[in-house]
Amino acid sequence: MGGETPVTAGQQQHRRSWAEPWKVKMVEPLRMTTREQRESALGEAGYNTFLLRSDDVYIDLLTDSGTNAMSDRQWAALMLGDEAYAGSRNFYELEAAILEVYGFAHMVPTHQGRGAEHLLSQCAIKPGQLVPGNMYFTTTREHQERAGGVFVDVIVDQAHDPENLDPFKGNVDLSKLEEVILRGGPQGVAYLSLAATVNMAGGQPVSMRNLREVRELCRRHGVPVYLDATRLVENALFIQEREEGYRDRSIAEIVLEFCSLTDGAWMSAKKDSLVNIGGWLAVNDEGLFEEIRNLVIVFEGLHTYGGLAGRDMAAMAVGIKESIQDDHVRSRVGQVRYLGELLLGAGIPMVKPVGGHGVFLDASRFYPHLPQDAFPAQTLAAELYLDSGIRGMERGIVSAGRDPKTGEHHRPRLELTRLAIPRRVYTQAHMDVVAESVEAVYARRSEASGLVMTHEPRYLRFFQARFEPRGS
Ligand SMILES: *Cc1c(COP(=O)(O)O)cnc(C)c1O
């Protein structure tokens, strides 16, 4: 870990390094490929890393979603799955884990995060209402817009600047939020959609203090605060490290306090909760919860399984408790930071400070000669794959999609290629390979000519769009 990285007093008692609090019991062999094999695979995939077969990938940093390694305790819990249609024992275990860790008493399971986003958007947004949020997330905004909501970005300006070193670049800008609330009027704002950490900004955290101020402003205007808790444990580590007064507080305490300042939360358990599938939605308002519990049956499944097998809920209940252990969170973010510091040391342009779940390369500064219409971040993801079989993901103009009203591209200021690190999966040597490959691609950066889009799906286009090299 780098010399400047603050280490809390509690942490120092244990160890100096971020080394993992586990050992390996089973391995999954990987296939190594040649450059020729990768060229052919990428051509078949239309230069979109989402369309590659995972067998053709060496180190898969496409996403940290559902790609976690479960513990032996979680695998054991699978065997205790109670596959009853109604009232599965594992539902009650999950309910108890969410109450203990996040403090929410009323929840429904969902098949994954977007299932929860769908239910919340349908039940809590009236057509035409504004939905302020600290930067958009792809599936979140899609569901808000499908429900007739109008998303408005109220994140602090620093979030849009990859070079800005502010410790809490996920914070809500209070004056932007107040402007939206006044513009919308008493019935015109559905809720504040708050994510912690903020994925699209590079895994940047929200401070407890900001949430307290946001909560107070929203309370005065009768606007509820709903939290995307997908990566809240990573946010809690940043609060522990960076925010006055939290050095000696545990991750568990910080997570619980954070949630206590919200009116409910939704979760993609495929991230923090160390499982391969699952999610949930919890709200405090009993009337709203009643509606959600009714609607979950239409789209997900009965309210005691929500699209999941009993065994999935069992593994999630165990994963939730493992996810808030200080040693675990510290090693998870420590590994991300290790890779980030290697790249920063090599002068690679990227989002700073290094975020919680991955390294976000700044493709617009990586390829200053490419216009945004030549898809620099998509190009960089393709070049990395060709170089070493590492798979990353575009988080720029392709992911941002089009404005549903005007049909124009959304043009995000951030044009990023994300290397997301799965939890408990890769080693420090794998991170070294990633750094070497990024450096090799950077050394050849002037040769890149960009891409043209040859197929554009209507919704969430980044998943299935196809490209060809520009000028080929
Ligand atoms: C992944 C993700 C979601 C959506 O969850 P899925 O489980 O992929 O449906 C929502 N919000 C954030 C911040 C995410 O990273």
Side-chain angles (χ1 to χ4, degrees):
M1 186 148 66
E4 299 92 329
T5 311
V7 175
T8 71
Q11 290 166 346
Q12 240 150 8
Q13 286 165 12
H14 303 297
R15 286 192 317 253
R16 306 173 80 90
S17 165
W18 55 267
E20 296 84 352
W22 42 260
K23 60 181 176 176
V24 177
K25 171 138 60 181
M26 186 186 283
V27 299
E28 179 179 344
L30 296 173
R31 184 170 148 250
M32 313 297 274
T33 52
T34 63
R35 170 115 193 167
E36 289 68 43
Q37 286 169 329
R38 293 194 291 275
E39 279 170 1
S40 140
L42 191 66
E44 272 172 42
Y47 289 80
N48 185 345
T49 50
F50 274 103
L51 300 179
L52 287 166
R53 291 167 183 251
S54 73
D55 276 347
D56 295 327
V57 173
Y58 173 37
I59 300 176
D60 201 349
L61 309 184
L62 183 73
T63 174
D64 61 330
S65 178
T67 53
N68 308 301
M70 293 205 296
S71 67
D72 53 358
R73 273 74 173 166
Q74 288 178 286
W75 281 101
L78 288 184
M79 297 304 293
L80 299 176
D82 170 10
E83 306 306 340
Y85 190 91
S88 162
R89 179 191 336 115
N90 312 125
F91 167 78
Y92 296 103
E93 289 163 5
L94 178 62
E95 192 182 49
I98 291 169
L99 179 60
E100 178 188 325
V101 170
Y102 296 95
F104 296 114
H106 308 302
M107 72 89 199
V108 291
T110 58
H111 75 286
Q112 57 185 79
R114 71 198 70 182
E117 290 171 338
H118 177 213
L119 297 175
L120 181 66
S121 301
Q122 291 299 321
C123 294
I125 298 174
K126 297 193 190 79
Q129 279 186 320
L130 304 177
V131 189
N134 55 344
M135 202 172 263
Y136 84 101
F137 183 71
T138 53
T139 57
T140 316
R141 187 180 66 192
E142 179 69 33
H143 282 297
Q144 291 164 351
E145 289 175 348
R146 280 172 171 270
V150 179
F151 175 81
V152 191
D153 189 3
V154 294
I155 202 165
V156 293
D157 286 339
Q158 292 93 307
H160 297 280
D161 175 3
E163 287 286 288
N164 189 297
L165 289 173
D166 192 290
F168 290 104
K169 285 165 78 173
N171 279 355
V172 170
D173 183 319
L174 290 160
S175 56
K176 288 185 194 172
L177 176 60
E178 183 154 36
E179 190 278 320
V180 174
I181 293 175
L182 296 176
R183 172 148 55 95
Q187 300 303 321
V189 180
Y191 54 87
L192 173 70
S193 176
L194 183 81
T197 60
V198 183
N199 192 346
M200 301 301 277
Q204 302 296 328
V206 175
S207 71
M208 194 74 81
R209 179 180 169 168
N210 184 247
L211 175 57
R212 244 186 241 112
E213 291 169 352
V214 161
R215 166 127 199 100
E216 179 50 29
L217 176 63
C218 286
R219 195 194 53 74
R220 280 208 310 276
H221 294 278
V223 173
V225 177
Y226 294 120
L227 170 68
D228 183 340
T230 295
R231 294 188 185 79
L232 184 57
V233 305
E234 293 164 12
N235 198 101
L237 182 81
F238 289 124
I239 289 176
Q240 191 187 63
E241 288 180 345
R242 298 177 186 171
E243 190 163 354
E244 178 92 39
Y246 288 92
R247 288 213 140 201
D248 296 314
R249 305 282 298 282
S250 67
I251 297 293
E253 288 169 325
I254 296 171
V255 164
L256 207 51
E257 180 178 338
F258 204 91
C259 289
S260 75
L261 296 168
T262 71
D263 298 290
W266 73 92
M267 184 77 188
S268 169
K270 303 172 70 171
K271 317 315 196 319
D272 271 359
S273 306
L274 299 163
V275 285
N276 305 118
I277 196 73
W280 48 264
L281 172 61
V283 296
N284 293 336
D285 183 291
E286 293 191 10
L288 178 61
F289 181 68
E290 198 45 47
E291 259 181 76
I292 288 168
R293 191 160 58 177
N294 200 204
L295 201 66
V296 71
I297 300 171
V298 179
F299 291 105
E300 303 284 316
L302 192 67
H303 63 286
T304 56
Y305 77 84
L308 297 171
R311 56 179 171 269
D312 297 327
M313 294 189 284
M316 201 197 305
V318 176
I320 286 172
K321 293 188 189 168
E322 291 179 0
S323 77
I324 47 157
Q325 289 166 9
D326 284 60
D327 281 349
H328 160 70
V329 189
R330 184 164 165 251
S331 103
R332 189 282 185 282
V333 176
Q335 186 181 40
V336 173
R337 202 173 273 158
Y338 172 79
L339 174 61
E341 285 174 3
L342 285 180
L343 295 173
L344 285 172
I348 305 294
M350 54 185 269
V351 175
K352 295 183 233 175
V354 178
H357 65 296
V359 166
F360 290 66
L361 306 176
D362 184 353
S364 46
R365 279 187 301 137
F366 206 100
Y367 294 134
H369 62 290
L370 295 184
Q372 200 169 24
D373 291 288
F375 309 116
Q378 191 82 35
T379 304
L380 179 49
E383 290 293 334
L384 275 172
Y385 174 72
L386 288 176
D387 183 72
S388 57
I390 291 167
R391 169 156 72 170
M393 179 199 294
E394 196 264 9
R395 279 298 183 223
I397 187 168
V398 183
S399 295
R402 290 181 188 271
D403 185 301
K405 277 215 192 90
T406 66
E408 294 297 315
H409 288 298
H410 285 296
R411 289 186 176 276
R413 271 164 66 195
L414 294 177
E415 178 71 22
L416 308 175
T417 303
R418 183 181 83 174
L419 303 175
I421 318 291
R423 296 163 190 77
R424 308 194 290 205
V425 170
Y426 291 114
T427 66
Q428 187 163 348
H430 284 123
M431 297 301 108
D432 292 342
V433 172
V434 174
E436 285 161 21
S437 181
V438 173
E439 286 172 47
V441 170
Y442 192 56
R444 293 195 308 272
R445 60 192 179 279
S446 62
E447 295 162 31
S449 58
L451 295 166
V452 286
M453 205 187 303
T454 54
H455 168 68
E456 180 177 351
R458 194 153 142 217
Y459 307 115
L460 299 172
R461 63 184 182 180
F462 59 97
F463 283 124
Q464 291 162 323
R466 300 183 70 85
F467 304 83
E468 277 172 10
R470 198 155 151 253
S472 69

